[in-house]
Amino acid sequence: MADAPLSPNMEDYLEAIFYLHNLDPVVRVRDIARHLDVTMPSVSDAVKALKKQRLVNHEPYGHVDLTDKGEILARTLLMRHQQLTHFLRDILGVDPETADADACRMEHVVSHESMERLLSLVGAIETCTEKNCFLTGKKKKPTVKIPEVTLQDRETSGLHTLAPGQTRRVAGVAPHKTMRRRLLDLGFTRGAHVQMCPDQASGAPFNVRIKGYIISLTQKQAELVQIHSTQGVS
């Protein structure tokens, strides 16, 4: 019997666990609760559900590990966001910021079948563009490779580490149950320039300038926004 598809809520938990593992191999229930701003009982229930589907390993009072199946699915979920962004931005010509924000909203509701057909369409369009041909209607099953996705590496850090007056490019926004969509809507999309206000005092709230506006962020929001460590990275 096939496993039931994950709910959007469970997908958020799985992505968050993957993100936290990217920072520290030891991830506990309290770490997930703190990251998603939810209660520990809520995390415990979610971890039990993910364990039941063999996506995580977890013993009482122990740390949470992704199984091979869980890691593959987490990477697939992140790939789905990347592919949706690519389709909206590069195929349909949607503004990059809007494409990224819309992909964030769409990624949880697009079925596996629809995603496969979308990938097939994108592949056909790109192939015909390269060969200067018309779509013939021939079906070709796409080969989908799971990318080596990393959400944070040695060249990125949280926005809260930016010194007053410094400007950097946004590298992305870490997965979060509610804040990620809000931050994308505010303009914290990949490649956007963000400056810590020169008169910024120590600690939160963090006043930053982005797209001509000054926005105040909480400590948690500033930590979720990832920036490139060097100004020249795009």
Side-chain angles (χ1 to χ4, degrees):
M1 182 177 179
D3 291 330
L6 291 183
S7 68
N9 188 45
M10 290 297 101
E11 290 181 351
D12 284 336
Y13 275 105
L14 193 64
E15 288 187 55
I17 294 169
F18 177 81
Y19 171 75
L20 291 171
H21 265 291
N22 202 43
L23 303 180
D24 190 329
V26 177
V27 177
R28 301 185 184 277
V29 168
R30 64 172 177 268
D31 301 322
I32 303 169
R34 188 182 303 114
H35 179 73
L36 292 176
D37 285 341
V38 296
T39 64
M40 289 182 62
S42 296
V43 177
S44 295
D45 290 342
V47 169
K48 288 178 182 177
L50 294 173
K51 182 178 180 180
K52 188 175 181 180
Q53 296 213 33
R54 303 182 300 279
L55 299 174
V56 302
N57 292 319
H58 177 248
E59 298 300 328
Y61 307 105
H63 56 273
V64 182
D65 286 322
L66 289 170
T67 63
D68 290 341
K69 178 183 176 182
E71 183 172 344
I72 289 173
L73 180 54
R75 292 179 183 276
T76 302
L77 293 172
L78 292 169
M79 182 195 71
R80 176 179 294 191
H81 176 84
Q82 294 170 346
Q83 292 288 355
L84 285 170
T85 302
H86 169 59
F87 175 71
L88 294 170
R89 181 190 62 214
D90 302 325
I91 303 298
L92 298 186
V94 176
D95 177 83
E97 298 165 11
T98 304
D100 193 48
D102 286 348
C104 188
R105 298 184 184 94
M106 294 167 60
E107 61 183 305
H108 292 310
V109 296
V110 176
S111 68
H112 176 76
E113 179 182 1
S114 295
M115 193 66 195
E116 285 290 310
R117 290 177 180 270
L118 177 60
L119 291 175
S120 181
L121 174 62
V122 171
I125 292 173
E126 291 178 336
T127 299
C128 283
T129 299
E130 292 172 359
K131 296 182 178 179
N132 194 28
C133 65
F134 294 98
L135 294 178
T136 61
K138 294 181 179 179
K139 296 182 179 179
K140 183 179 180 181
K141 189 174 182 179
T143 300
V144 182
K145 296 182 178 180
I146 306 301
E148 290 298 318
V149 180
T150 54
L151 299 181
Q152 177 167 328
D153 55 35
R154 296 177 182 175
E155 296 180 353
T156 65
S157 58
L159 178 57
H160 64 291
T161 63
L162 197 60
Q166 282 191 324
T167 300
R168 293 289 184 270
R169 285 184 180 272
V170 175
V173 179
H176 189 274
K177 187 177 180 65
T178 57
M179 292 187 192
R180 183 168 187 253
R181 291 175 178 82
R182 173 60 176 162
L183 289 167
L184 289 171
D185 288 341
L186 288 172
F188 293 94
T189 53
R190 185 175 183 274
H193 287 279
V194 59
Q195 180 191 44
M196 187 68 71
C197 289
D199 57 352
Q200 171 64 35
S202 178
F206 294 93
N207 297 313
V208 300
R209 181 180 295 276
I210 186 167
K211 303 183 188 307
Y213 297 95
I214 295 179
I215 298 174
S216 293
L217 301 178
T218 65
Q219 177 77 28
K220 183 64 179 181
Q221 290 172 328
E223 290 174 355
L224 289 172
V225 177
Q226 298 296 301
I227 56 171
H228 291 287
S229 298
T230 57
Q231 176 60 27
V233 179
S234 61

